[in-house]
Amino acid sequence: MTARILVVDDIPANVKLLEARLLAEYFDVLTAENGYDALAICERTQVDLILLDIMMPGIDGFEVCERLKANPRTAHIPVVMVTALDQPSDRVRGLKAGADDFLTKPVNDLQLMSRVKSLVRLKMLTDELRLRAATARAISLEDGLETGLGDEPGDILLVDGRGSSQDRIARALKPIAEVTCMSDPQAAVFQAAESNFELVIVNANFEDYDPLRLCSQLRSLERTRFLPILLIAEQGDDDLIVRALDLGVTDYVMRPIDPNELIARSLTQIRRKRCNDRLRASVRQTIELAVTDGLTGLHNRRYLDNHLKLLIDRATARGRALSVCITDIDRFKLVNDTYGHDAGDVVLREFASRVRSAVRGADLACRYGGEEFVLVMPDTTPEMAAGVAERLRAIVESEPFQIPGKDIALSVTASLGIAAMLPVGDTPDALLKRADTALYEAKRSGRNRVVAAAA
């Protein structure tokens, strides 16, 4: 793993020490001697993580962190404050400014490298999501993926082996979250997988159970793979913390727990979870839009072109039948010319709805273009396909299409052409061509009918 890390400190010896440690792990290191230089570097070049001193001339580390997090271009960069300050109030102030973690001077090598690698992994994941979600922003699907995340209480699962500490932690978190407390780690895994928690807090105080086993199980399940995990560890248990971060635990606090620090770290993880959920949803929506017709909600021609060959190959390999139907709305141009394109869009949407009602769950319905639609019917003989097509023709003809706001009911019919896959195999183009020829024959012979292609 490699990344570009910015070290910010006004004492050259501190900079050289951190730089040497990071270079030994093959990280690319940039340095800055004050907050203004750090902000300028982040503006003009890519930075994957910032190790930021607090006590500096000019603007201190708290203000630098606040400015970084307020700038959309740099808000996603993880910030670790490296400082001689070790008071809980200083950590809470830094967390509220947006810092992801604290390292106290002199810096422990194991904690430094494990924390850096953990945050870099998290940053790479977030960068991938942000890159893919940029498409959604480009086509105005999102106004801002990190805004509007809400301040409503979060949902936290607390896994703690002692009832007394469960009560204390739950009371501390009550202002910001609904807390579900569990003592059984295995039951907690199932509860986490079946619920919609935004954070799991694992207290490493079990007498006869390794808490990292629970963390590992949460990371191995699909439903909980990206769920933030906050570990509560004993002061000085560096080995446990290093192993936890390597496993994918996202943050930790030390006992005795400072309630304000616990709240600040929990809020940071909940907000990050909501942001990443938004990013993933945006990615899914963008993928769906790429293969979905925006007007009718059916799959589009791009999806058909990519999917039809797979269905043909599967049917050929299994020796199964497959049929295709192309349907076209009769005299659709007249609808647009007489009543306008808004009325035409209403007809297309209603037609698509009737197509859905006529096809089976295994069938593929697509808008092919304009007023043409395609049905792909796996495991369907020509006789069965003719029955499906006739049912669709009757559904279209049976009831007029209502045009909202115009008090108009249009009588609409459709012509349909069907073709079956050849027993020796077929190509998508040849199969669609035969169905299209049958559709042309249905149009030529009077419309509002089903015609099958010659075998």
Side-chain angles (χ1 to χ4, degrees):
M1 177 191 302
T2 186
R4 180 172 293 170
I5 298 176
L6 173 62
V7 178
V8 188
D9 199 314
D10 61 318
I11 299 176
N14 291 340
V15 173
K16 291 296 183 184
L17 181 61
L18 285 174
E19 184 179 19
R21 291 174 176 175
L22 294 167
L23 287 172
E25 296 291 330
Y26 303 101
F27 289 106
D28 183 15
V29 182
L30 303 175
T31 63
E33 63 182 19
N34 58 63
Y36 293 113
D37 289 348
L39 292 171
I41 289 171
C42 291
E43 277 289 333
R44 68 173 182 262
T45 191
Q46 174 194 332
V47 174
D48 295 305
L49 185 139
I50 301 171
L51 298 178
L52 178 63
D53 187 33
I54 291 181
M55 307 301 292
M56 294 185 296
I59 56 174
D60 62 19
F62 295 124
E63 186 173 348
V64 173
C65 188
E66 288 172 350
R67 292 192 187 187
L68 288 167
K69 297 300 180 179
N71 184 345
R73 292 186 57 187
T74 57
H76 60 284
I77 303 174
V79 175
V80 178
M81 289 189 164
V82 184
T83 176
L85 302 176
D86 60 358
Q87 294 301 310
S89 57
D90 296 316
R91 290 199 297 272
V92 171
R93 183 182 173 190
L95 292 167
K96 287 182 176 178
D100 293 87
D101 203 0
F102 272 77
L103 292 173
T104 303
K105 298 176 181 177
V107 177
N108 177 294
D109 275 0
L110 280 176
Q111 283 200 25
L112 170 67
M113 290 307 160
S114 60
R115 172 48 75 189
V116 165
K117 290 176 182 178
S118 174
L119 287 172
V120 166
R121 281 196 300 268
L122 183 63
K123 165 96 169 20
M124 289 178 175
L125 171 64
T126 304
D127 282 351
E128 180 70 17
L129 289 170
R130 291 175 67 250
L131 178 63
R132 296 185 180 186
T135 304
R137 290 199 299 273
I139 58 178
S140 302
L141 287 178
E142 297 284 353
D143 295 327
L145 292 166
E146 298 184 14
T147 61
L149 297 177
D151 295 322
E152 64 273 9
D155 289 308
I156 295 177
L157 174 62
L158 171 62
V159 189
D160 191 318
R162 300 173 187 167
S164 57
S165 57
Q166 281 185 13
D167 292 339
R168 287 196 302 272
I169 294 170
R171 282 198 303 271
L173 294 171
K174 188 175 181 180
I176 66 161
E178 294 288 334
V179 182
T180 300
C181 300
M182 301 189 71
S183 300
D184 184 345
Q186 291 307 310
V189 173
F190 291 107
Q191 186 71 18
E194 294 173 0
S195 306
N196 293 312
F197 294 111
E198 295 173 295
L199 173 65
V200 175
I201 299 177
V202 179
N203 199 345
N205 61 359
F206 296 94
E207 297 293 337
D208 55 355
Y209 182 80
D210 182 356
L212 297 187
R213 180 71 57 192
L214 170 60
C215 300
S216 174
Q217 289 177 316
L218 290 172
R219 280 292 169 262
S220 67
L221 294 175
E222 184 68 28
R223 284 291 305 275
T224 58
R225 183 161 296 162
F226 302 112
L227 185 59
I229 302 173
L230 177 66
L231 181 70
I232 299 175
E234 200 66 55
Q235 194 73 241
D237 198 349
D238 292 346
D239 288 343
L240 177 70
I241 293 168
V242 169
R243 286 188 295 152
L245 293 172
D246 284 342
L247 278 174
V249 169
T250 39
D251 205 353
Y252 62 90
V253 293
M254 298 293 199
R255 286 190 290 266
I257 300 170
D258 176 70
N260 291 321
E261 181 179 358
L262 179 64
I263 287 174
R265 290 188 183 276
S266 298
L267 281 173
T268 296
Q269 295 305 320
I270 289 171
R271 182 174 175 82
R272 179 177 288 159
K273 169 74 162 53
R274 291 175 180 175
C275 179
N276 285 343
D277 283 350
R278 178 88 69 86
L279 286 165
R280 289 188 183 92
S282 176
V283 170
R284 286 193 297 271
Q285 185 180 18
T286 304
I287 293 171
E288 288 171 3
L289 283 173
V291 295
T292 303
D293 176 58
L295 179 64
T296 65
L298 297 178
H299 288 299
N300 60 16
R301 183 166 181 172
R302 177 198 296 267
Y303 186 86
L304 176 68
D305 290 343
N306 292 330
H307 207 63
L308 180 55
K309 186 177 188 306
L310 295 176
L311 293 175
I312 291 175
D313 290 346
R314 185 181 303 166
T316 302
R318 296 176 179 177
R320 302 286 185 83
L322 181 140
S323 296
V324 166
C325 170
I326 299 183
T327 176
D328 182 282
I329 301 174
D330 294 331
R331 298 185 174 88
F332 181 72
K333 184 175 184 300
L334 187 60
V335 175
N336 279 334
D337 292 345
T338 305
Y339 302 104
H341 288 277
D342 289 346
D345 288 348
V346 170
V347 170
L348 288 170
R349 281 193 291 267
E350 176 60 22
F351 188 87
S353 176
R354 298 190 191 191
V355 168
R356 287 192 195 93
S357 71
V359 301
R360 305 158 304 177
D363 297 337
L364 171 63
C366 302
R367 184 182 178 194
Y368 198 53
E371 66 271 24
E372 280 194 337
F373 295 78
V374 173
L375 305 180
V376 183
M377 296 169 278
D379 296 320
T380 305
T381 64
E383 294 76 21
M384 294 167 61
V388 173
E390 178 57 32
R391 183 168 70 248
L392 175 56
R393 187 204 64 75
I395 289 172
V396 172
E397 184 187 30
S398 62
E399 292 184 23
F401 285 53
Q402 302 294 328
I403 307 300
K406 293 189 178 182
D407 194 25
I408 297 171
L410 296 178
S411 295
V412 175
T413 62
S415 300
L416 304 97
I418 57 175
M421 188 184 75
L422 299 176
V424 295
D426 222 329
T427 66
D429 289 343
L431 183 57
L432 289 171
K433 179 64 175 176
R434 293 200 303 277
D436 192 54
T437 301
L439 171 63
Y440 176 79
E441 180 59 28
K443 290 282 191 183
R444 192 187 66 80
S445 57
R447 298 183 173 86
N448 190 24
R449 64 191 62 205
V450 178
V451 172

